[in-house]
Coordinates of all heavy atoms in Angstrom, one line a residue:
W22 N 98.8 101.9 97.3 CA 98.4 102.3 98.6 C 96.9 102.8 98.4 O 96.7 104.1 98.5 CB 99.4 103.6 99.0 CG 100.8 103.1 99.2 CD1 101.5 102.6 98.3 CD2 101.5 103.3 100.4 NE1 102.8 102.2 98.8 CE2 102.8 102.8 100.2 CE3 101.3 103.7 101.7 CZ2 103.7 102.7 101.0 CZ3 102.3 103.7 102.6 CH2 103.5 103.2 102.2
S28 N 100.3 109.6 100.9 CA 101.4 110.4 100.0 C 102.5 109.4 99.6 O 102.1 108.1 99.8 CB 102.0 111.5 100.9 OG 102.7 110.8 101.9
V39 N 84.7 105.1 106.7 CA 84.1 103.8 106.9 C 82.7 104.0 107.3 O 82.2 104.7 108.0 CB 84.9 103.2 108.1 CG1 84.4 101.9 108.5 CG2 86.3 103.2 107.9
V68 N 89.4 97.3 110.0 CA 89.9 97.7 108.6 C 91.3 98.1 108.9 O 91.7 98.6 109.9 CB 89.0 98.8 108.0 CG1 89.0 100.0 108.9 CG2 89.3 99.2 106.5
T72 N 98.4 96.0 101.4 CA 98.9 96.4 100.0 C 100.1 95.5 99.7 O 100.7 94.8 100.5 CB 99.3 97.9 99.9 OG1 99.5 98.3 98.6 CG2 100.6 98.2 100.5
A77 N 112.9 96.8 96.9 CA 114.1 96.6 95.9 C 115.3 97.4 96.4 O 116.4 97.4 95.8 CB 113.7 97.0 94.6
S78 N 115.1 98.0 97.6 CA 116.3 98.8 98.2 C 117.4 97.9 98.7 O 117.1 96.9 99.3 CB 115.6 99.7 99.3 OG 116.7 100.3 100.0
V83 N 112.2 100.5 106.3 CA 111.6 100.2 107.6 C 110.1 100.6 107.5 O 109.6 101.7 106.9 CB 112.0 101.0 108.8 CG1 111.5 100.8 110.2 CG2 113.6 100.8 109.0
T100 N 95.4 93.3 120.0 CA 96.8 93.7 119.5 C 96.7 94.6 118.1 O 95.8 94.3 117.4 CB 97.5 92.3 119.2 OG1 96.7 91.5 118.3 CG2 97.8 91.6 120.5
D102 N 98.6 94.2 114.8 CA 99.3 93.1 114.1 C 100.1 93.6 112.8 O 99.4 94.5 112.1 CB 98.3 92.0 113.8 CG 97.9 91.3 115.2 OD1 97.5 92.1 116.0 OD2 97.8 90.1 115.1
K104 N 101.8 91.8 109.3 CA 102.0 90.6 108.7 C 102.6 90.8 107.3 O 102.2 91.6 106.6 CB 100.6 89.8 108.5 CG 100.7 88.5 107.9 CD 99.5 87.5 108.2 CE 98.1 88.2 107.6 NZ 97.1 87.1 107.6
H125 N 97.2 105.1 130.7 CA 96.1 106.0 131.1 C 94.8 105.5 130.6 O 94.2 106.0 129.6 CB 96.3 107.5 130.6 CG 97.7 107.9 131.0 ND1 98.0 108.4 132.3 CD2 98.8 108.1 130.3 CE1 99.2 108.8 132.4 NE2 99.8 108.6 131.2
L136 N 109.0 97.2 111.6 CA 109.6 96.0 111.0 C 110.5 96.5 109.9 O 110.2 97.1 109.0 CB 108.5 95.2 110.2 CG 108.9 94.1 109.3 CD1 109.7 93.0 110.2 CD2 107.7 93.3 108.7
V151 N 94.1 95.8 113.6 CA 93.9 95.5 115.1 C 93.1 94.2 115.1 O 92.2 94.0 114.4 CB 93.1 96.7 115.7 CG1 92.8 96.3 117.1 CG2 93.9 97.9 115.6
N153 N 91.0 92.0 117.7 CA 90.3 91.9 119.0 C 90.1 90.5 119.4 O 89.0 90.0 119.4 CB 89.0 92.8 118.9 CG 88.3 92.8 120.2 OD1 88.8 92.7 121.3 ND2 87.0 93.2 120.1
S154 N 91.2 89.7 119.8 CA 91.1 88.3 119.9 C 90.2 87.9 121.1 O 89.7 86.8 121.0 CB 92.5 87.6 120.1 OG 93.2 88.3 121.3
H156 N 87.6 89.7 122.2 CA 86.3 90.3 122.1 C 86.0 91.4 123.2 O 85.0 91.4 123.8 CB 85.2 89.2 122.0 CG 85.5 88.2 121.0 ND1 85.2 88.4 119.8 CD2 86.0 86.9 121.3 CE1 85.6 87.2 119.1 NE2 86.1 86.4 120.0
F159 N 86.5 98.7 123.0 CA 87.5 99.8 123.0 C 87.2 100.6 121.6 O 86.5 100.0 120.7 CB 88.9 99.3 123.1 CG 89.3 98.4 122.1 CD1 90.0 98.9 120.9 CD2 89.1 96.9 122.3 CE1 90.5 97.9 120.1 CE2 89.6 96.1 121.4 CZ 90.3 96.5 120.2
V161 N 89.4 102.7 118.3 CA 90.7 103.0 117.6 C 90.5 104.1 116.8 O 89.3 104.4 116.3 CB 91.3 101.7 117.0 CG1 91.5 100.7 117.8 CG2 90.4 101.3 115.8
K163 N 92.7 106.9 113.8 CA 94.0 107.3 113.1 C 95.1 106.3 113.0 O 96.1 106.3 113.7 CB 94.5 108.5 113.6 CG 95.3 109.3 112.6 CD 95.7 110.7 113.1 CE 96.6 111.3 112.1 NZ 97.0 112.7 112.3
M164 N 94.8 105.2 112.2 CA 96.0 104.3 111.9 C 96.9 104.9 110.9 O 96.4 105.5 109.9 CB 95.3 102.9 111.4 CG 96.3 101.9 111.1 SD 95.6 100.4 110.5 CE 94.8 99.8 112.1
V169 N 109.8 103.9 105.2 CA 111.0 104.8 105.2 C 112.3 104.1 104.7 O 112.6 103.0 105.2 CB 111.3 105.6 106.5 CG1 112.5 106.5 106.3 CG2 110.0 106.2 106.9
N172 N 119.5 104.7 105.7 CA 120.9 104.1 105.7 C 121.0 102.9 106.7 O 120.6 103.1 107.8 CB 122.0 105.2 106.0 CG 122.0 106.2 105.0 OD1 121.8 106.0 103.8 ND2 122.3 107.4 105.4

Side-chain angles (χ1 to χ4, degrees):
W22 296 58
S28 69
V39 178
V68 61
T72 196
S78 171
V83 182
T100 54
D102 294 42
K104 184 164 59 169
H125 305 283
L136 170 66
V151 175
N153 187 15
S154 61
H156 307 282
F159 59 95
V161 298
K163 197 169 184 184
M164 182 178 286
V169 179
N172 291 325

